[in-house]
Amino acid sequence: MSVQLNVVPFVSVDKMMKLVLAIGIERFLSELAATIEEDFRRWHVFDKQPRVASHSADGVIELMPTSDGTTYGFKYVNGHPKNAHSGRQTVAAFGVLADVGNGYPMLLTEMTILTALRTAAMSAVAARHLAPKGARTMAIIGNGAQAEFQALAFKALVGIDSLRLYDIDASASAKCRRNLGRFGFDIRLCSGAADAVEGADIVTTATADKQSATILTDNLVGPGIHINAVGGDCPGKTELHPDILRRSDIFVEYAPQTRLEGEIQQLPADHPVTELWRVIAGEATGRRDGRQITLFDSVGFAVEDFSALRYLRSVLAGTRFFEDLDLLADPDDPRDLFGMLLRAGP
Amino acid sequence: MSVQLNVVPFVSVDKMMKLVLAIGIERFLSELAATIEEDFRRWHVFDKQPRVASHSADGVIELMPTSDGTTYGFKYVNGHPKNAHSGRQTVAAFGVLADVGNGYPMLLTEMTILTALRTAAMSAVAARHLAPKGARTMAIIGNGAQAEFQALAFKALVGIDSLRLYDIDASASAKCRRNLGRFGFDIRLCSGAADAVEGADIVTTATADKQSATILTDNLVGPGIHINAVGGDCPGKTELHPDILRRSDIFVEYAPQTRLEGEIQQLPADHPVTELWRVIAGEATGRRDGRQITLFDSVGFAVEDFSALRYLRSVLAGTRFFEDLDLLADPDDPRDLFGMLLRAGP
């Protein structure tokens, strides 16, 4: 990293993709998952502010800050379901890591790809504690931008080698199978949700519509499975029938946020849930037995983004996968900002 | 501006300085002031969220978001008084403007220099409504990074041509005089605050220490002057003796924030103040008569940063004062983020 005070390392989309491929997608996911577990084990040190949301008719723009007292991170992320119609991502993001001691940013990075990776890594971390032992088959319902990342994270961290794919748009499933061709999965394209969940140890739901839909009904959910609910992640958007929730042991990232944004917005505000960090820290039990239905009601939390930024920074040093961004004014004399401006003239 | 969806225009420190000099500092300040006035006149359209602050022993990191319903802006800014000892700015900032309709950022920029300019422009906007008619002499107490910007904004917008400078560090005043040499001011270096305020129509206080100090005592403040209090801008940091406040008509940006951060934190929470937008919009009176003491208790508000970002964007188009930043993943098919990642390989 540079010692010039004006410069902030910047990871562009192009550099991020090349970095991830240079490290290897599965290794990146595994190391990122390890960083998330590390941070979840020290959950109490984090400043857990609610995200700062600016809602509009078409979507939301959010700032998600957190700090461990030494390092500060935030993510800017939008959520605009109609964006796909204009060729844009429904979710795009960038983030910053900064030094709490002097307030200076020390990393600026794209986070659209990084968020896809951290969401998948987070799901796999949860599944390591919640999925049935020896799970090898996962259904993925909703085969959009998150599907392949989920598949690879569950391969790397849980041992999934068989996928059952379903999407209302068959071309999405075909895209998913094509992209995963080189990774050694046994892949089956399914004709519906009922077909997809048959024989699955884990069911991942990752649909994208900003509305409450019932992707899974109660009769489809057999004993012993783990449900990884990724798509229901904002007020008014859920994927699961409430009867499934009532039969499941529910695990969440941060209960105050999940009660607003997750599947459990369909349940009374006092319905018991377990925060996942307690399981990871050994303070609560994850899966108890082979017949229990476990549910990870994932909405994404600032600490995970912090982990992702922290992991990214740790692998950047000494690489060529960042640029120097001239982001911070750095006059020779801090009181002489104006003099610096004048001296920039011809 | 680019039509590539992945690209966000970025204004580096170097480009910002060159842009400001190309436009001309005084013209930049005047046009920025006009944009601030425009936005203050439509005050009710803005989403006025409190800033999101992360405090630590050494300082604070803040996110300051706002939106007019069409455009969203936020500023990242730190405040670390000890930074000067390590050659860093006590305040460094960057900001983003985004499209509310699709959530995509449309401008990323350094804001250390831009904030210095908007703070000065804001002060001058206030003084146009509050300072005595025909004011030509301004005292500036505290001759650090903000001083010259204040001087030029008051020259361009209020007609100040005579400056009386004082700083506990005489070298700061000398620096200020040197930097302002080419701008045609009559400049006098003063031996103390009492000397500086003598004959001044306007007194600007812009000291930097993060503590309550009494830069101005009551006996120094004569009738008819306008006080532009820039330096007292966070909890525990004030510059003026409370007796001065009690004799003044006080104008603020956004009362809920100023009561926490401004000079008026020394007064009861119900002490009457006038929000400046009401004066600008013609709903309240600014200066009534020649003996009234007016006080602008400036702390900086998100709407001003929004105006600064909006003005910056308006002057960028067609210039060479920005770079294209590859910040947003833009797969050909929005559902195929993973495929884009794979295709970045060799």
Side-chain angles (χ1 to χ4, degrees):
Chain A
M1 305 280 173
S2 175
V3 294
Q4 294 168 269
L5 292 178
N6 66 310
V7 160
V8 176
F10 167 60
V11 182
S12 66
V13 174
D14 183 61
K15 299 278 192 202
M16 178 67 77
M17 295 193 294
K18 288 179 171 143
L19 170 70
V20 172
L21 293 176
I23 291 177
I25 304 175
E26 291 175 66
R27 186 177 141 206
F28 193 103
L29 285 161
S30 298
E31 293 178 352
L32 174 49
T35 310
I36 291 173
E37 288 220 0
E38 213 173 274
D39 285 338
F40 271 50
R41 254 181 244 116
R42 60 189 189 114
W43 188 255
H44 61 280
V45 309
F46 286 96
D47 176 18
K48 284 169 284 289
Q49 309 186 25
R51 52 178 97 192
V52 185
S54 179
H55 292 277
S56 64
D58 295 319
V60 63
I61 296 175
E62 296 177 333
L63 300 173
M64 299 169 68
T66 191
S67 162
D68 68 0
T70 303
T71 306
Y72 169 94
F74 83 87
K75 180 165 84 169
Y76 169 106
V77 60
N78 76 306
H80 286 72
K82 289 181 202 150
N83 271 6
H85 305 312
S86 64
R88 290 181 172 82
Q89 293 290 105
T90 52
V91 174
F94 67 90
V96 167
L97 209 60
D99 184 326
V100 167
N102 59 40
Y104 269 41
M106 49 195 194
L107 173 65
L108 171 69
T109 179
E110 86 81 34
M111 284 190 82
T112 311
I113 294 166
L114 189 59
T115 297
L117 289 157
R118 79 88 163 119
T119 300
M122 182 72 239
S123 285
V125 163
R128 265 155 53 106
H129 295 273
L130 302 177
K133 287 271 171 283
R136 295 184 59 180
T137 301
M138 178 159 81
I140 306 181
I141 300 173
N143 303 149
Q146 176 61 204
E148 300 94 329
F149 295 97
Q150 289 283 336
L152 277 190
F154 278 74
K155 174 169 182 274
L157 285 140
V158 183
I160 293 296
D161 58 11
S162 171
L163 298 173
R164 303 178 67 84
L165 306 180
Y166 172 67
D167 195 291
I168 46 169
D169 176 359
S171 73
S173 305
K175 171 240 19 166
C176 190
R177 177 165 65 177
R178 194 168 55 243
N179 281 335
L180 292 173
R182 71 177 79 168
F183 295 98
F185 289 102
D186 173 32
I187 299 178
R188 180 182 168 128
L189 302 196
C190 299
S191 58
D195 182 15
V197 303
E198 203 173 303
D201 305 299
I202 299 173
V203 176
T204 289
T205 56
T207 61
D209 270 340
K210 189 181 181 174
Q211 58 190 32
S212 289
T214 303
I215 312 301
L216 271 187
T217 50
D218 190 38
N219 63 313
L220 297 180
V221 176
I225 71 163
H226 173 62
I227 304 171
N228 173 41
V230 177
D233 61 358
C234 65
K237 182 174 172 226
T238 59
E239 294 181 316
L240 307 180
H241 193 283
D243 285 346
I244 299 176
L245 306 182
R246 290 187 200 104
R247 285 169 59 208
S248 305
D249 287 315
I250 301 173
F251 298 82
V252 302
E253 289 138 316
Y254 180 55
Q257 183 175 305
T258 312
R259 292 201 191 273
L260 295 175
E261 301 175 1
E263 296 298 329
I264 59 171
Q265 65 187 274
Q266 304 179 79
L267 297 182
D270 61 352
H271 188 92
V273 300
T274 304
E275 288 188 338
L276 194 64
W277 72 269
R278 298 189 59 225
V279 177
I280 293 170
E283 293 186 15
T285 305
R287 174 163 290 271
R288 279 191 325 268
D289 61 59
R291 291 193 56 81
Q292 179 190 18
I293 299 169
T294 51
L295 169 64
F296 177 47
D297 188 1
S298 168
V299 297
F301 187 56
V303 172
E304 295 147 42
D305 297 311
F306 181 94
S307 306
L309 289 164
R310 190 164 77 81
Y311 170 64
L312 174 62
R313 186 161 187 270
S314 75
V315 294
L316 272 188
T319 75
R320 60 198 156 77
F321 298 112
F322 64 93
E323 300 156 38
D324 283 343
L325 210 63
D326 170 31
L327 186 63
L328 303 173
D330 178 42
D332 299 329
D333 172 357
R335 297 169 314 179
D336 198 15
L337 191 63
F338 189 84
M340 184 178 76
L341 170 59
L342 288 187
R343 287 187 291 275
Chain B
M1 305 277 172
S2 174
V3 293
Q4 294 167 268
L5 292 178
N6 65 310
V7 160
V8 176
F10 167 61
V11 182
S12 67
V13 174
D14 183 61
K15 299 280 192 202
M16 178 66 77
M17 296 192 294
K18 288 179 171 142
L19 170 70
V20 173
L21 293 176
I23 290 177
I25 304 174
E26 291 176 65
R27 185 178 143 205
F28 193 102
L29 285 162
S30 298
E31 292 178 352
L32 175 49
T35 311
I36 291 173
E37 288 220 1
E38 211 172 275
D39 286 337
F40 270 50
R41 255 182 242 115
R42 58 189 190 115
W43 188 257
H44 62 279
V45 308
F46 286 96
D47 176 18
K48 285 168 283 288
Q49 308 187 25
R51 51 178 98 191
V52 185
S54 179
H55 291 277
S56 65
D58 294 319
V60 64
I61 296 175
E62 296 177 333
L63 300 174
M64 299 169 68
T66 192
S67 162
D68 68 1
T70 303
T71 306
Y72 169 94
F74 83 89
K75 179 165 83 167
Y76 169 106
V77 59
N78 76 306
H80 285 72
K82 290 181 200 150
N83 271 6
H85 306 311
S86 63
R88 291 181 172 82
Q89 292 290 103
T90 52
V91 174
F94 67 91
V96 167
L97 208 61
D99 183 326
V100 167
N102 60 39
Y104 269 40
M106 49 195 194
L107 174 65
L108 171 69
T109 179
E110 88 80 35
M111 284 191 82
T112 310
I113 294 165
L114 189 58
T115 298
L117 289 157
R118 78 89 163 119
T119 299
M122 182 71 241
S123 285
V125 164
R128 266 155 53 106
H129 295 273
L130 302 176
K133 289 271 172 280
R136 294 184 59 180
T137 301
M138 177 160 80
I140 306 181
I141 299 173
N143 302 150
Q146 176 62 203
E148 298 95 330
F149 295 97
Q150 289 283 337
L152 278 191
F154 279 73
K155 174 168 182 275
L157 285 139
V158 184
I160 293 296
D161 57 11
S162 170
L163 298 174
R164 301 177 67 84
L165 306 180
Y166 172 66
D167 195 293
I168 47 168
D169 176 358
S171 73
S173 305
K175 172 244 10 169
C176 191
R177 177 166 64 177
R178 194 167 57 243
N179 281 334
L180 291 174
R182 70 177 79 169
F183 294 98
F185 289 103
D186 172 31
I187 299 178
R188 182 183 165 125
L189 302 196
C190 300
S191 58
D195 183 15
V197 303
E198 203 172 305
D201 305 299
I202 299 173
V203 177
T204 288
T205 57
T207 62
D209 269 342
K210 189 182 181 173
Q211 59 190 30
S212 288
T214 303
I215 311 302
L216 271 188
T217 50
D218 189 39
N219 61 312
L220 297 180
V221 176
I225 72 163
H226 173 62
I227 304 172
N228 172 42
V230 177
D233 61 358
C234 64
K237 183 176 171 224
T238 58
E239 293 181 316
L240 306 180
H241 193 283
D243 285 346
I244 299 175
L245 306 182
R246 289 188 200 102
R247 285 169 59 208
S248 305
D249 287 316
I250 301 173
F251 298 82
V252 302
E253 288 137 318
Y254 180 55
Q257 183 176 304
T258 312
R259 293 202 190 272
L260 295 176
E261 300 176 2
E263 297 298 329
I264 59 170
Q265 64 188 274
Q266 305 179 78
L267 297 182
D270 60 352
H271 188 93
V273 300
T274 304
E275 287 189 337
L276 193 65
W277 72 268
R278 298 189 59 226
V279 179
I280 293 170
E283 294 186 14
T285 306
R287 173 165 290 271
R288 280 190 323 270
D289 61 60
R291 291 194 54 82
Q292 179 190 18
I293 299 169
T294 51
L295 169 64
F296 177 46
D297 188 1
S298 168
V299 297
F301 187 55
V303 172
E304 295 147 43
D305 297 311
F306 181 94
S307 306
L309 289 164
R310 190 165 78 80
Y311 170 64
L312 174 62
R313 185 160 188 273
S314 76
V315 294
L316 272 188
T319 75
R320 59 197 157 78
F321 298 112
F322 64 93
E323 301 156 38
D324 282 343
L325 211 62
D326 169 32
L327 186 62
L328 302 174
D330 178 42
D332 299 328
D333 172 357
R335 299 169 314 177
D336 198 16
L337 192 62
F338 189 84
M340 183 178 76
L341 171 60
L342 289 186
R343 286 188 290 275

